[in-house]
Amino acid sequence: MIPVVKTIDEVRKYVKSWRREGLSVGLVPTMGFLHEGHRSLIDRAVSENDRVVVSDFVNPTQFGPGEDLEAYPRDLERDAALCEEAGAALIFNPEPEEMYRGALTTVSVDKLTKVLCGKSRPVHFDGVCTVVSKLFNIVTPDRAYFGQKDAQQLCVVRKMVKDLNFDIEVIGCPIVREADGLAKSSRNTYLSPEERKAALCLSRALSAGRAAVDSGESSAGAVKAIVRAEIEKEPLARIDYVEAVDMDTFEDAETVRAPFLAAVAVYIGKTRLIDNFIIE
Ligand code: PAF
């Protein structure tokens, strides 16, 4: 059975012994309740590294007041089975105490975190950057794997790695979707059957936006309007944002020019879902 360790010291012991053997190490940071999206990150990590560590930690510092920290789904046993099957070497599943006992330090990336998800979730990215920095320092991986569904997170982590000179390659992996288009997310489990159907408005709207780009639409405003109009057809949907930005600066895009990110956050009932498309 794959080892599940709870302490930073134990992770370090494993990594040191691998390093002595000259092995490379990949890290897949997760909050657990793993699905096929995570599985694709682990598969890629296993194919590119000798040993893979999966962190499985519902990080309290990235949840704001009134968000779903307590409700966030957890199933370590199932996660361990998935990691083992995928060929990961170690799961790091610390308690919040282990990660944050006495901590007074926060890692913060400016500017990129003030827009899109950062507007409605003001503490979120500080929590992400802090925990990801800690995981990087604990595991010292050669490579770390993040999903493109959280496109803003991926860009923020890349910027942090550059600014803080982490010697780690950050690898972004494509969004994995259900057969009907819904982007895989641990939060999809919150949806009632009726909400599950309504949630398809995100991928449908983004596909409409993408189709417009593919047929030559070059105005970012027009693409946003197409996406917004499609979501607004769904009565159970409440838009948090529909944005189109330059992916390097996260400034509003006027024209559709790579690197371009069209991103949405939409409440379906009480569940906030995100999705996007990228033109690289
Ligand atoms: O994407 C996530 O699941 C989390 O934000 C991460 C990167 C594991 C940090 O807690």
Side-chain angles (χ1 to χ4, degrees):
M1 200 56 189
I2 184 169
V4 179
V5 299
K6 296 273 180 193
T7 68
I8 294 165
D9 281 353
E10 286 170 289
V11 178
R12 289 201 161 129
K13 269 186 203 141
Y14 274 96
V15 174
K16 267 188 195 143
S17 76
W18 297 334
R19 292 298 189 196
R20 272 197 297 271
E21 292 176 62
L23 302 177
S24 62
V25 179
L27 169 67
V28 182
T30 82
M31 297 210 300
F33 210 71
L34 305 180
H35 50 67
E36 284 160 50
H38 298 111
R39 174 68 196 250
S40 74
L41 305 181
I42 301 170
D43 286 344
R44 172 108 185 245
V46 167
S47 75
E48 294 178 351
N49 300 274
D50 298 314
R51 295 289 180 273
V52 170
V53 179
V54 177
S55 62
D56 188 318
F57 176 56
V58 182
N59 173 36
T61 63
Q62 68 189 75
F63 290 78
E67 291 186 354
D68 56 340
L69 173 60
E70 265 78 48
Y72 200 84
R74 293 159 167 89
D75 190 340
L76 182 59
E77 223 172 281
R78 199 169 62 92
D79 291 350
L82 184 147
C83 290
E84 170 144 336
E85 194 192 286
L90 184 69
I91 297 178
F92 178 40
N93 175 238
E95 293 300 323
E97 258 295 280
E98 176 69 3
M99 293 297 275
Y100 290 115
R101 193 183 304 116
L104 296 175
T105 304
T106 299
V107 180
S108 189
V109 172
D110 203 359
K111 199 165 171 245
L112 307 187
T113 58
K114 305 295 179 229
V115 294
L116 280 72
C117 289
K119 262 194 191 163
S120 51
R121 305 188 72 194
V123 301
H124 176 68
F125 288 111
D126 283 3
V128 169
C129 290
T130 304
V131 82
V132 170
S133 304
K134 287 169 76 68
L135 291 168
F136 284 178
N137 283 326
I138 293 163
V139 179
T140 61
D142 298 287
R143 297 172 199 87
Y145 296 79
F146 294 85
Q148 280 176 353
K149 183 172 80 71
D150 297 289
Q152 189 176 12
Q153 169 173 280
L154 176 59
C155 293
V156 167
V157 168
R158 284 210 162 110
K159 183 72 179 135
M160 178 186 82
V161 161
K162 188 162 185 267
D163 289 354
L164 297 184
N165 309 101
F166 280 109
D167 189 12
I168 294 169
E169 190 185 348
V170 173
I171 293 159
C173 302
I175 298 177
V176 177
R177 297 182 180 279
E178 304 282 356
D180 59 7
L182 181 67
K184 299 254 183 194
S185 164
S186 305
R187 290 191 168 97
N188 292 349
T189 53
Y190 299 152
L191 301 168
S192 69
E194 197 194 353
E195 289 170 344
R196 171 68 183 71
K197 272 190 215 143
L200 289 177
C201 69
L202 280 84
S203 52
R204 204 170 39 236
L206 288 161
S207 296
R210 177 76 214 222
V213 172
D214 291 344
S215 342
E217 180 57 72
S218 63
S219 152
V223 173
K224 277 202 291 187
I226 291 166
V227 172
R228 180 173 279 278
E230 195 59 43
I231 298 171
E232 281 173 349
K233 286 183 195 159
E234 173 48 63
L236 293 185
R238 183 167 58 83
I239 292 175
D240 177 4
Y241 66 75
V242 172
E243 296 289 2
V245 296
D246 174 320
M247 247 183 114
D248 284 337
T249 60
F250 272 71
E251 281 166 11
D252 282 346
E254 286 194 0
T255 52
V256 180
R257 204 179 32 222
F260 173 83
L261 169 70
V264 301
V266 179
Y267 286 93
I268 304 290
K270 287 191 176 140
T271 306
R272 185 176 177 280
L273 299 175
I274 58 173
D275 200 350
N276 66 72
F277 73 83
I278 292 171
I279 295 175
E280 309 238 36

